[in-house]
Amino acid sequence: MEVDDLKAKDKMKNTIRLEEMKNTGTAAPVPTEAEVAARVDALLGRMSLEEKIGQLTQIGGASFVPGPKPEDVIRKGGAGSVLWLNDTKQFNALQKIAVEESPSKIPLLFALDVIHGYRTIFPVPLALASSWDPVVAERAQAVAAREARAAGLHWTFGPMLDIARDARWGRIVEGAGEDPCLGAAMAAAQVRGFQGPSLGAPDRVVACAKHFAGYGAADGGRDYDPVYLSEGQLRNVYFPPFEAAVKAGVGTFMSAYMDLNDVPASGNRFLLRDVLRGEWGFKGFVVSDAFAVGSLVTEGFARDGRDAAFRALRAGLDMDMASNTYLEHLAGLVEDGALELADIEAAVRPILAIKIRLGLFEQPYTDESKLAQVVALPEHREEARLAAQRSMVLLRNEGRLLPLAKNLKNVAVIGPLADSQEATEGSWMVFGHTPAAVTVVEGIRAKLPGAKVAYAPGPEIRRDIPSMFDEMFGVKKAAQTPEQAEAAFQTAVDTARDADLVVMVLGENADMAGEAASRASLDLPGRQEELLEAVVALGKPVVLVLLNGRPLSIGWAAEHVPAILEAWEPGSEGGHAIADILFGDVNPGGKLPVTFPRKASHAPLYYARNLTHSPEGSPRYSHRYWDGPTTPLYPFGYGLSYTTFAITNLKVAVPQVKVGSSVAVTADVTNTGSMVGDEVVQLYIHQKAGSDSRPMRELKGFERLTLKPGETRTVTFLLGPAELGHWSTSAGKWVQDTEDFDVWVGADSLATLHADLAVVR
Ligand code: BGC
């Protein structure tokens, strides 16, 4: 990257603050807590029990949701919120019924999953986390919020904050990966992006921290399966992103689907009352995951719907998403005396409070002409391109094959994802969205206007078992016959043979990661590996671009393909951003937020494991399995650049720090190459002994820096009680042990630059 580009980037980063982004809405006046409480009381005073229960009910606006017509439910005051609808006109029509015809005229909250963009699609959250730059995530979600709000949405079901250490689990794509420190930073950033400075900020939406909690630890990586996590694991690893979201002011939480230690998360008082409200002081409301209140019966926890409604409400679950269990049973439970009216009102309060803070009573409708103006803003595409550039991770670059020269005359772009808008935008599209991304083929063609850029997809790839969403949305995809696949294979190899350089674009289709998209293998699906090997055998220079939503076991490529770029699912501007990196207009600087295992059977594999009686690499029993190494293919935090960096001069300000105090850790980072580039400097610690065994490494700080050739900067991290303490299983509480620690600073989780630190009384 040139110095001018860098300046431009710095300008983007520093001068267009999120607050200054053009506002197309009017700010709701920020009411005080007392004002909100008084308005809530006044509303409650005039609402019937049925209407109160209505506020606790979220109904589906889509045709696949069973039950009465939304209009009829809303007219009776039977719904507080609508999801699975994405149509401004319809929003206004339903809102009109709510505010003009329903008994207490309370406006509806319109909610949808806006996970990585509304119309302008950003890289998937796992990719945003690969930027190791919370500003990128904040800005992405600010744009998503602005577009979503212009469409009439008030509330998004994001960010997804589940720590995921098992790449087989499909929903790993929706989160920030395996680490609580990176996860917490990304959580807070996304909440700020969605919500802005306060609930009710114009052009923003209410965020929802999901899925509380532990969903990412599903047995075997199988979606929805039970989770067993100790309190120590929950508090040290799985909770921090959620607590960070609360601290950032997140308006709502979503309870997870699965059983956590034998108690479903949606009926789990420990999670929803003791921790969330009791310890963290959360004041917003909790919505269930879709149909999850009803599922308490399916899961063999509640006896029937009545029991499910009772137990979910008592556990602290305020709003029932789509199962109608509250609607059917809460009134009876109050009439029988099983529940108090106060129980119902306590759940209604935070819902009404959010509607008040959003200014919905004053402005319930959305201007139907607004969306078209907002989605057309060129800065949204710019933001998406910048986010995609910053999210990509260079995994390999032997012989400095990359960056490619722009005078290439004859390039082949090969692979089933090379021209796929769907795979480029990735999983979790907004309901009803049509993919419209710049593909890799298009991006490369735009970079090489005078060159021949041939394209051949090769055999298609598809899930063995179709996605439940295909069935839900009536998607039918005709499969290639083996003969057609074979012909496509040969065409792809022939196309590659004719070129001077080949860019292979392989990975997973959008429907191969996400909800209900777990898999037993992490191999490249279909015949992609075979095609890759055939193309490499031609002896041409080959660059592999990966489009995928999870780590893949690309062991063969890691040895035989000279250049590998992990582009994830990069969004609307993905093809341009990939070409920007391949041709050196942008120097990649992303780092892996997840460990890449060599094989699926090594999952869960993550860096922050405890030591064992015979640590890996020790002479007695160096391997965990006898049939191959279990070390990662690529470690957590890893990523290359077109330049080189040296990290030196690690200093811990004092060798001993008192319990409760903080110590500064500094290191110098120098760009030792000849190109401007980014390094993510990472701080890891290890507590050597103490009340519990502690992970052999834990990330405790990171900073992404842009450095000119020859430039050196000093990075400073603070280690205080929050970083040096932990939740102790043996003590049953938070502790800060007086013990010795290792400290490392480096460019990934294998950092070797080391110092000692002791915590003392
Ligand atoms: C998913 C949630 C999502 C909800 C609403 C569920 O199936 O687990 O993440 O927010 O649907 O679409």
Side-chain angles (χ1 to χ4, degrees), residues 362-408:
E362 292 74 27
Q363 289 186 28
Y365 301 112
T366 298
D367 171 356
E368 286 167 21
S369 65
K370 195 162 142 189
L371 180 64
Q373 304 153 20
V374 170
V375 292
L377 291 172
E379 66 252 39
H380 291 193
R381 299 293 287 211
E382 262 311 300
E383 286 283 346
R385 185 161 174 170
L386 190 78
Q389 292 165 350
R390 286 179 79 75
S391 299
M392 293 182 195
V393 186
L394 182 63
L395 296 177
R396 193 163 197 250
N397 195 16
E398 284 305 292
R400 292 176 172 256
L401 176 56
L402 295 178
L404 302 173
K406 285 190 189 154
N407 59 7
L408 280 166

Side-chain angles (χ1 to χ4, degrees), residues 303-566:
R303 219 173 296 126
D304 49 27
R306 187 178 188 277
D307 192 30
F310 174 78
R311 290 166 83 176
L313 193 90
R314 290 298 292 263
L317 196 147
D318 304 308
M319 188 182 274
D320 169 3
M321 184 192 286
S323 86
N324 289 332
T325 312
Y326 278 7
L327 203 58
E328 283 163 27
H329 299 285
L330 285 183
L333 284 159
V334 174
E335 278 148 25
D336 298 353
L339 287 174
E340 305 278 324
L341 182 60
D343 296 325
I344 307 288
E345 290 188 345
V348 180
R349 271 173 201 284
I351 297 170
L352 292 177
I354 281 189
K355 293 184 175 184
I356 292 167
R357 288 189 191 282
L358 275 172
L360 284 189
F361 287 87
E362 292 74 27
Q363 289 186 28
Y365 301 112
T366 298
D367 171 356
E368 286 167 21
S369 65
K370 195 162 142 189
L371 180 64
Q373 304 153 20
V374 170
V375 292
L377 291 172
E379 66 252 39
H380 291 193
R381 299 293 287 211
E382 262 311 300
E383 286 283 346
R385 185 161 174 170
L386 190 78
Q389 292 165 350
R390 286 179 79 75
S391 299
M392 293 182 195
V393 186
L394 182 63
L395 296 177
R396 193 163 197 250
N397 195 16
E398 284 305 292
R400 292 176 172 256
L401 176 56
L402 295 178
L404 302 173
K406 285 190 189 154
N407 59 7
L408 280 166
K409 289 279 169 281
N410 185 2
V411 174
V413 186
I414 307 288
L417 309 178
D419 202 31
S420 163
Q421 293 187 312
E422 210 180 323
T424 309
E425 289 194 349
S427 72
W428 249 137
M429 280 304 105
V430 167
F431 196 80
H433 171 81
T434 309
V438 177
T439 65
V440 185
V441 174
E442 290 167 343
I444 292 179
R445 286 192 173 141
K447 226 27 125 186
L448 300 177
K452 175 180 173 201
V453 179
Y455 155 63
E460 65 165 15
I461 55 172
R462 58 169 51 233
R463 291 170 54 129
D464 302 338
I465 299 168
S467 164
M468 70 172 184
F469 297 108
D470 288 353
E471 197 184 314
M472 220 179 255
F473 299 116
V475 179
K476 289 208 172 50
K477 295 174 191 158
Q480 261 175 349
T481 62
E483 296 71 34
Q484 287 167 328
E486 184 54 33
F489 189 99
Q490 289 313 327
T491 307
V493 175
D494 292 344
T495 308
R497 189 180 290 111
D498 285 346
D500 300 331
L501 178 132
V502 187
V503 178
M504 300 285 297
V505 187
L506 308 178
E508 292 186 331
N509 271 335
D511 66 359
M512 292 177 170
E515 187 178 353
S518 294
R519 56 188 294 230
S521 158
L522 296 176
D523 295 346
L524 288 165
R527 296 181 63 186
Q528 294 183 98
E529 175 91 27
E530 191 190 341
L531 181 60
L532 179 66
E533 294 184 17
V535 170
V536 168
L538 299 172
K540 317 257 170 185
V542 176
V543 177
L544 171 60
V545 174
L546 291 169
L547 296 187
N548 51 318
R550 58 154 62 79
L552 294 174
S553 48
I554 48 160
W556 189 89
E559 273 183 41
H560 298 95
V561 182
I564 307 176
L565 180 68
E566 175 53 85

